[in-house]
Amino acid sequence: MKTLRKRLSALYTITTGAILLLVIGAFLLSSIQKTRNAQLQQFQVIWNSLSSRFQSSHAFSHGYLAQTEAEYHMIIHISENGIPFFYPGSWKPETDRKVLIEQAIALAKTQGVSVNRAPVSSPSNTTSLITMEGNRGDRYYVMVQVMSTRNGAKSICAISYIPPVWDALKNTVLYLSLLAVSGILCLWLISWVFVGWSLKPVEESRQKQARFIAAASHELRSPLAVLRSAAAAMSDSPQKKDTLLPLIDRECVRMSRLIDDMLLLASADARTWSLQRKETDMDTLLIDLYEAFQPACQEKGISLHLDLPADSLPHVLCDPDRIRQVLMVLLDNAAYYTPAGRSIFIRARVNERKRILELQVMDEGCGIAPEDKPHIFDRFYQADSARSDKQHFGLGLSIARELVLLHQGTIGLADNPGGGSCFFVRLPC
């Protein structure tokens, strides 16, 4: 179970963690795309401003160029008739400034835009957006425009540095990494707790099964030991056959009853029990049950009473044989714990509002200790573990509970106000 819990926790953590990482990855990709779009939009806005200023023949002062270059990490190269405007630049890119300008001019020439020649068919000629790479892997956006003038041609070349996306998203990546690690740790803790909670019924079922097998083995060992002893005694002393054969027969009957009870419970667990449901007259069923159990109570000196309401009980759609079996288990249990001179009561009452028929078997015995009540319907559980009557295996109440559950009913235990116990069965009617 511990290994299963670890494996399931790991499985849940990996699957949900993978989903978390996919979500974070999708968010990161979206952030990268947004950052790239923002960089491109920023360059286009600056270029539009430079181009407008360039076309309106406004002068470019050293201060304006220095501020623009430094603020946006740009290189602005202006020339007239091939002679560059003297400006040393306000920041140093990774690749030499002169190399970048030459490379940008060469790329513009491939698009038919030459900084040394005025456009022929139009007043100005502008390249499309160019992306180029420096000598050290540094990347740049480039735009070049050439205009005709009275004296020839003038040109402007704007080269904008593209910062690596990871540099722009450094804080975001760190935050997402911490989120992913903490999220996976939380998922592991939640999975560990959740799997433990989910496996708890499985563990309880496994423990119950282990206890059931141990108890069944113990109960089967006793009659088998008696049978082997009797067989050995008959081999040694054949003259004792008449005495030993009834003992063997009694133990065989006892073992047969135990096996039948175990098969019934196995059928209940496998949900293979079949009920022969039919409309049942509960008055008749209870009267027949009373008459059948009366002799056994008289033999033990116990008074058996049947208490029915004045009006007829409603019919119940049930298997009458199985309901009779349930009540026989309760009566047999009550008879065992009720001393001579006391009474057992069979009572029936109807809750018209909830359409429930409640059947009660009350005894005036010793009652059931509070610590035993939660386990009274457990298999092979016996409140009096030292009792000498070996005809009871502690399976009767378990079988009764399974039968009642098959009828969509409930079975429970309460204290008898006059002393003893009161078992009740509630059936829909």
Side-chain angles (χ1 to χ4, degrees):
M1 295 299 292
K2 291 181 179 179
T3 302
L4 178 61
R5 185 178 184 182
K6 290 179 181 178
R7 289 180 177 178
L8 287 177
S9 299
L11 176 63
Y12 293 157
T13 303
I14 290 171
T15 52
T16 52
I19 294 173
L20 175 63
L21 291 177
L22 286 174
V23 172
I24 292 177
F27 176 78
L28 188 59
L29 289 176
S30 175
S31 299
I32 291 173
Q33 189 61 40
K34 288 180 179 179
T35 302
R36 287 174 176 170
N37 291 337
Q39 291 173 341
L40 177 59
Q41 289 175 3
Q42 177 180 278
F43 172 72
Q44 290 174 337
V45 168
I46 299 171
W47 168 253
N48 291 334
S49 176
L50 290 172
S51 176
S52 176
R53 190 182 185 96
F54 180 70
Q55 293 179 33
S56 62
S57 299
H58 290 313
F60 288 88
S61 65
H62 278 243
Y64 174 80
L65 293 176
Q67 181 181 356
T68 304
E69 285 196 4
E71 184 176 355
Y72 299 108
H73 283 187
M74 294 185 68
I75 297 173
I76 302 174
H77 176 73
I78 301 172
S79 66
E80 186 169 359
N81 297 324
I83 301 173
F85 177 68
F86 180 75
Y87 174 66
S90 62
W91 74 289
K92 186 177 181 181
E94 295 184 28
T95 302
D96 185 71
R97 180 185 182 95
K98 183 178 180 181
V99 172
L100 291 174
I101 293 173
E102 292 175 353
Q103 184 178 348
I105 292 173
L107 289 172
K109 196 171 185 179
T110 62
Q111 294 189 9
V113 179
S114 175
V115 298
N116 299 322
R117 188 171 63 249
V120 177
S121 58
S122 62
S124 67
N125 198 3
T126 307
T127 64
S128 60
L129 179 68
I130 300 172
T131 303
M132 73 176 188
E133 188 171 318
N135 296 336
R136 298 185 179 182
D138 42 331
R139 300 174 68 249
Y140 302 86
Y141 289 129
V142 176
M143 292 283 285
V144 177
Q145 186 178 42
V146 178
M147 288 186 62
S148 298
T149 64
R150 295 177 182 177
N151 301 323
K154 65 177 181 178
S155 66
I156 181 171
C157 174
I159 304 172
S160 176
Y161 174 66
I162 306 174
V165 176
W166 296 114
D167 290 347
L169 296 177
K170 182 167 57 177
N171 293 333
T172 302
V173 171
L174 179 61
Y175 171 76
L176 291 178
S177 300
L178 293 175
L179 179 64
V181 172
S182 59
I184 291 174
L185 289 176
C186 290
L187 285 172
W188 168 259
L189 293 175
I190 293 172
S191 298
W192 181 261
V193 174
F194 177 75
V195 170
W197 175 76
S198 301
L199 291 179
K200 188 176 181 180
V202 179
E203 175 64 15
E204 291 176 353
S205 177
R206 189 186 67 83
Q207 292 177 358
K208 286 182 180 179
Q209 184 181 29
R211 289 195 298 266
F212 180 85
I213 293 173
S217 302
H218 175 75
E219 293 291 348
L220 285 171
R221 189 183 297 115
S222 298
L224 287 174
V226 173
L227 290 175
R228 291 186 62 187
S229 299
M234 287 177 61
S235 298
D236 296 338
S237 305
Q239 65 276 13
K240 295 182 179 180
K241 180 178 65 173
D242 294 338
T243 304
L244 295 174
L245 282 177
L247 175 62
I248 292 175
D249 181 68
R250 186 167 60 251
E251 292 300 319
C252 287
V253 171
R254 176 171 177 259
M255 189 158 53
S256 177
R257 287 182 60 246
L258 173 59
I259 293 173
D260 288 342
D261 288 347
M262 292 172 62
L263 289 174
L264 284 174
L265 290 173
S267 299
D269 292 338
R271 296 293 185 263
T272 57
W273 254 349
S274 59
L275 296 178
Q276 304 298 324
R277 295 177 182 269
K278 60 182 180 180
E279 291 285 343
T280 303
D281 185 346
M282 297 305 297
D283 288 294
T284 302
L285 187 148
L286 293 175
I287 292 172
D288 291 343
L289 181 69
Y290 169 79
E291 293 175 350
F293 206 74
Q294 178 68 24
C297 289
Q298 289 179 348
E299 184 179 346
K300 293 190 64 175
I302 298 172
S303 299
L304 181 63
H305 303 276
L306 177 61
D307 183 7
L308 298 177
D311 297 332
S312 297
L313 295 174
H315 287 203
V316 175
L317 183 62
C318 66
D319 187 332
D321 293 332
R322 295 301 190 185
I323 297 300
R324 186 179 292 107
Q325 183 180 358
V326 171
L327 295 174
M328 286 296 293
V329 168
L330 300 181
L331 286 170
D332 183 62
N333 197 63
Y336 178 83
Y337 286 102
T338 302
R342 299 292 182 88
S343 300
I344 297 175
F345 299 89
I346 305 173
R347 292 178 177 172
R349 60 183 182 181
V350 181
N351 187 327
E352 295 288 353
R353 185 172 61 86
K354 296 184 179 180
R355 298 184 60 79
I356 297 285
L357 171 65
E358 181 173 308
L359 307 176
Q360 297 179 349
V361 175
M362 304 173 64
D363 64 68
E364 296 179 344
C366 58
I368 298 175
E371 61 271 17
D372 293 323
K373 289 179 180 178
H375 309 288
I376 201 67
F377 293 102
D378 292 350
R379 299 174 185 184
F380 287 108
Y381 185 81
Q382 296 178 359
D384 182 10
S385 59
R387 68 187 187 185
S388 60
D389 183 3
K390 297 303 180 182
Q391 296 303 314
H392 295 80
F393 306 106
L395 293 177
L397 291 176
S398 300
I399 294 173
R401 179 181 61 180
E402 297 295 341
L403 288 171
V404 172
L405 291 176
L406 282 176
H407 285 84
Q408 288 79 49
T410 56
I411 185 171
L413 168 67
D415 290 328
N416 186 355
S421 302
C422 174
F423 284 89
F424 60 84
V425 176
R426 293 176 181 146
L427 301 172
C429 60

